[in-house]
Structure formats: structure tokens, C-alpha cells
Amino acid sequence: EPGPHTLALTAWDGANNATTEEISFVVAEGSDLVVENAYPYPNPTSGRSTFFFEHNQPPGTPARLQLRIYSLAGRPVRTLERDEPLNGGLVRMDWDGLDDDLDPLASGIYLYRLRVEVDAADGTRRVAERRDRLAVIR
């Protein structure tokens, strides 16, 4: 059924020692694009940071990725864009900690928007976005 799910697997070895692992995932209706678990690491950062996210598209789906970082006043300070096929696991976007003028950002709280676009088989465009905060400490 569409919605969030958790799958748990328990395995035993020959000495009857058990271990359990769980994975959480989301089943989307139709071919909607879903972006989940988007986060920067490290956060807070003193410079470079890597943004990670998961998606529900088949591996190899062509995508346009955009990461935009804003000041708290809403002014865009850095935009990163790239076109690439999505892999089947975590997708990562590296950010060098600099603004569009290639200067280091000042200490403070910033907002970011991660935008993912894919073209559907029917010719329409599917878009998903995630927004959150990023702390810079120099």
C-alpha cells in the first residue's frame, strides 16, 4: 500500500545468535517523485558540507538537481546545479562552504532548498523539494 513502511529481518547463526536489521521506506502512488531523508553533513559546519537525500525513482533516471542556500533574510547566497542520472541509494551533493562570489559564508544560520526534477514517461515533469536549516560556525 502507499505510505511509510518498515521491513525487519532477523537472522540466526549456527550458535543460535540472532541479529535484527530494519529498513524504512515509502511507497508512493503512481510515479510521483518522492524525496526523503534530505540532510547536510556535518551540520553545523565550519566549511564544506555534503547534502544527502533518498528518492523513489528507478536507478538511472535522468534528473536535474539544484541546491540553493539562502540567508535568513531570504537572499540566495549560493546555487549549485547539475544534471545526472539518479543512483539507487543515497544521492550526494558536495558544497564547498562558499557563496556565489567564492567567499566563505559568515557564521550563522542559513536556509537551504534541495530541488529534484525528473521527466516522466508521459512527458510531464515531476518535482520534489526539501527545505531546512544549516548552521555555519567559523
Side-chain angles (χ1 to χ4, degrees), residues 107-138:
S107 293
I109 302 297
Y110 294 84
L111 307 173
Y112 71 85
R113 181 188 73 189
L114 175 67
R115 179 183 173 93
V116 180
E117 293 182 23
V118 297
D119 293 327
D122 62 5
T124 61
R125 180 173 292 157
R126 308 270 195 261
V127 177
E129 293 183 356
R130 287 287 178 252
R131 301 164 195 254
D132 210 339
R133 295 172 302 276
L134 170 70
V136 175
I137 299 173
R138 299 268 180 211

Coordinates of all heavy atoms in Angstrom, one line a residue, residues 107-138:
S107 N 29.6 33.1 9.9 CA 28.9 32.3 10.9 C 27.4 32.7 11.0 O 27.1 33.9 10.9 CB 29.6 32.4 12.3 OG 30.8 31.9 12.3
G108 N 26.6 31.7 11.2 CA 25.2 32.0 11.3 C 24.3 30.8 10.8 O 24.8 29.8 10.5
I109 N 23.0 31.1 10.8 CA 22.0 30.1 10.4 C 21.6 30.5 8.9 O 21.3 31.6 8.6 CB 20.8 30.1 11.3 CG1 21.2 29.8 12.7 CG2 19.7 29.1 10.8 CD1 21.8 28.5 12.9
Y110 N 21.6 29.5 8.1 CA 21.2 29.6 6.7 C 20.1 28.6 6.4 O 19.9 27.7 7.1 CB 22.4 29.4 5.7 CG 23.5 30.4 5.9 CD1 24.4 30.3 6.9 CD2 23.5 31.5 5.1 CE1 25.4 31.3 7.1 CE2 24.4 32.5 5.2 CZ 25.4 32.4 6.2 OH 26.3 33.4 6.4
L111 N 19.3 28.9 5.4 CA 18.3 28.0 4.9 C 18.7 27.4 3.6 O 19.5 28.0 2.9 CB 17.0 28.8 4.6 CG 16.5 29.7 5.8 CD1 15.3 30.5 5.4 CD2 16.1 28.8 7.0
Y112 N 18.3 26.2 3.3 CA 18.6 25.6 2.0 C 17.3 25.0 1.4 O 16.4 24.6 2.2 CB 19.7 24.6 2.2 CG 19.4 23.3 2.9 CD1 18.8 22.2 2.2 CD2 19.6 23.1 4.2 CE1 18.5 21.0 2.9 CE2 19.3 22.0 4.9 CZ 18.7 20.9 4.2 OH 18.4 19.8 4.8
R113 N 17.4 24.9 0.1 CA 16.3 24.2 -0.6 C 16.9 23.2 -1.6 O 17.8 23.6 -2.4 CB 15.4 25.2 -1.4 CG 14.3 24.5 -2.2 CD 13.6 25.4 -3.1 NE 14.4 25.7 -4.2 CZ 14.2 26.6 -5.1 NH1 13.1 27.3 -5.1 NH2 15.0 26.8 -6.1
L114 N 16.6 22.0 -1.5 CA 17.0 20.9 -2.4 C 15.9 20.6 -3.3 O 14.8 20.3 -2.9 CB 17.4 19.7 -1.6 CG 17.8 18.5 -2.4 CD1 19.1 18.7 -3.2 CD2 17.9 17.3 -1.6
R115 N 16.1 20.8 -4.6 CA 15.1 20.6 -5.6 C 15.5 19.5 -6.6 O 16.7 19.5 -7.1 CB 14.8 21.9 -6.4 CG 13.8 21.8 -7.5 CD 13.7 23.2 -8.2 NE 12.9 23.1 -9.3 CZ 11.6 23.5 -9.3 NH1 11.0 23.8 -8.2 NH2 10.9 23.4 -10.4
V116 N 14.7 18.5 -6.8 CA 14.9 17.4 -7.7 C 13.8 17.4 -8.8 O 12.7 17.4 -8.4 CB 15.0 16.1 -7.0 CG1 15.3 14.9 -7.9 CG2 16.0 16.1 -5.9
E117 N 14.2 17.4 -10.1 CA 13.3 17.3 -11.2 C 13.6 16.1 -12.0 O 14.7 15.8 -12.3 CB 13.4 18.5 -12.1 CG 13.0 19.8 -11.5 CD 13.1 21.0 -12.5 OE1 13.1 20.7 -13.7 OE2 13.2 22.1 -12.0
V118 N 12.5 15.3 -12.4 CA 12.7 14.2 -13.3 C 11.6 14.3 -14.4 O 10.5 14.9 -14.1 CB 12.6 12.9 -12.6 CG1 13.8 12.7 -11.7 CG2 11.3 12.6 -12.0
D119 N 11.9 13.9 -15.6 CA 10.9 13.8 -16.6 C 10.2 12.5 -16.6 O 10.9 11.4 -16.6 CB 11.5 14.0 -18.0 CG 12.1 15.5 -18.2 OD1 11.5 16.4 -17.6 OD2 13.1 15.6 -18.8
A120 N 8.9 12.5 -16.6 CA 8.1 11.2 -16.5 C 8.0 10.7 -17.9 O 8.2 11.4 -18.9 CB 6.7 11.5 -15.9
A121 N 7.6 9.4 -18.0 CA 7.4 8.7 -19.3 C 6.4 9.4 -20.2 O 6.4 9.4 -21.4 CB 7.1 7.3 -19.1
D122 N 5.4 10.0 -19.5 CA 4.3 10.7 -20.2 C 4.6 12.1 -20.7 O 3.7 12.8 -21.2 CB 3.0 10.7 -19.4 CG 3.1 11.5 -18.1 OD1 4.2 12.1 -17.9 OD2 2.2 11.4 -17.3
G123 N 5.9 12.5 -20.5 CA 6.3 13.8 -21.0 C 6.1 14.9 -19.9 O 6.6 16.0 -20.2
T124 N 5.5 14.6 -18.8 CA 5.4 15.6 -17.8 C 6.6 15.7 -16.9 O 7.4 14.8 -16.9 CB 4.1 15.4 -16.9 OG1 4.3 14.1 -16.2 CG2 2.9 15.4 -17.7
R125 N 6.8 16.7 -16.1 CA 7.9 16.9 -15.3 C 7.5 16.7 -13.8 O 6.5 17.3 -13.4 CB 8.5 18.3 -15.4 CG 9.7 18.6 -14.5 CD 10.4 19.9 -14.9 NE 11.0 19.7 -16.2 CZ 11.2 20.7 -17.0 NH1 11.0 22.0 -16.6 NH2 11.8 20.5 -18.1
R126 N 8.2 15.9 -13.1 CA 7.9 15.7 -11.7 C 9.0 16.4 -10.8 O 10.2 16.4 -11.2 CB 8.0 14.2 -11.3 CG 7.2 13.3 -12.2 CD 5.8 13.1 -11.6 NE 5.1 12.0 -12.2 CZ 4.2 12.1 -13.2 NH1 3.9 13.3 -13.7 NH2 3.6 11.1 -13.7
V127 N 8.5 17.1 -9.8 CA 9.4 18.0 -9.0 C 9.1 17.6 -7.5 O 8.0 17.5 -7.1 CB 9.2 19.5 -9.2 CG1 10.0 20.3 -8.3 CG2 9.4 19.8 -10.7
A128 N 10.2 17.5 -6.7 CA 10.1 17.4 -5.3 C 11.2 18.3 -4.7 O 12.3 18.5 -5.2 CB 10.4 15.9 -4.9
E129 N 10.8 18.9 -3.5 CA 11.7 19.8 -2.8 C 11.7 19.5 -1.3 O 10.8 19.0 -0.8 CB 11.2 21.3 -3.0 CG 11.3 21.8 -4.4 CD 10.9 23.3 -4.5 OE1 10.5 23.9 -3.4 OE2 11.1 23.8 -5.6
R130 N 12.9 19.8 -0.7 CA 13.0 19.7 0.7 C 13.7 21.0 1.1 O 14.7 21.5 0.5 CB 13.9 18.5 1.1 CG 13.2 17.2 1.0 CD 12.1 17.1 2.1 NE 11.4 15.9 2.0 CZ 10.1 15.8 1.6 NH1 9.5 16.8 1.3 NH2 9.5 14.6 1.5
R131 N 13.3 21.5 2.3 CA 13.8 22.8 2.8 C 14.2 22.6 4.3 O 13.4 21.9 5.0 CB 12.8 23.9 2.7 CG 12.4 24.2 1.3 CD 11.1 25.1 1.3 NE 10.5 25.0 0.0 CZ 10.6 26.0 -0.9 NH1 11.2 27.2 -0.5 NH2 10.0 26.0 -2.1
D132 N 15.2 23.2 4.7 CA 15.6 23.1 6.1 C 16.7 24.1 6.4 O 17.0 25.0 5.6 CB 16.1 21.7 6.5 CG 15.8 21.3 7.9 OD1 15.6 22.2 8.8 OD2 15.8 20.1 8.2
R133 N 17.3 24.0 7.6 CA 18.3 24.9 8.1 C 19.7 24.3 8.1 O 19.9 23.1 8.2 CB 18.0 25.4 9.5 CG 16.7 26.1 9.6 CD 16.3 26.4 11.1 NE 16.2 25.2 11.9 CZ 15.1 24.5 11.9 NH1 14.0 24.8 11.2 NH2 15.0 23.4 12.7
L134 N 20.7 25.2 8.0 CA 22.1 24.8 8.0 C 22.8 25.8 8.9 O 22.6 27.0 8.7 CB 22.7 24.8 6.6 CG 24.2 24.6 6.5 CD1 24.6 23.2 6.8 CD2 24.6 25.0 5.0
A135 N 23.6 25.4 9.8 CA 24.4 26.3 10.7 C 25.8 26.3 10.2 O 26.4 25.2 9.9 CB 24.3 25.8 12.1
V136 N 26.4 27.5 10.1 CA 27.8 27.7 9.8 C 28.5 28.3 11.0 O 28.0 29.3 11.5 CB 28.0 28.6 8.6 CG1 29.5 28.9 8.3 CG2 27.3 28.0 7.3
I137 N 29.6 27.6 11.5 CA 30.3 28.1 12.6 C 31.8 28.2 12.2 O 32.4 27.3 11.8 CB 30.2 27.1 13.8 CG1 28.7 27.0 14.2 CG2 31.0 27.6 15.0 CD1 28.5 25.9 15.3
R138 N 32.3 29.4 12.2 CA 33.7 29.7 11.8 C 34.5 29.9 13.1 O 34.2 30.4 14.0 CB 33.8 30.9 11.0 CG 33.0 30.8 9.7 CD 33.9 30.3 8.6 NE 33.1 30.2 7.4 CZ 33.3 29.3 6.5 NH1 34.3 28.4 6.6 NH2 32.6 29.3 5.4

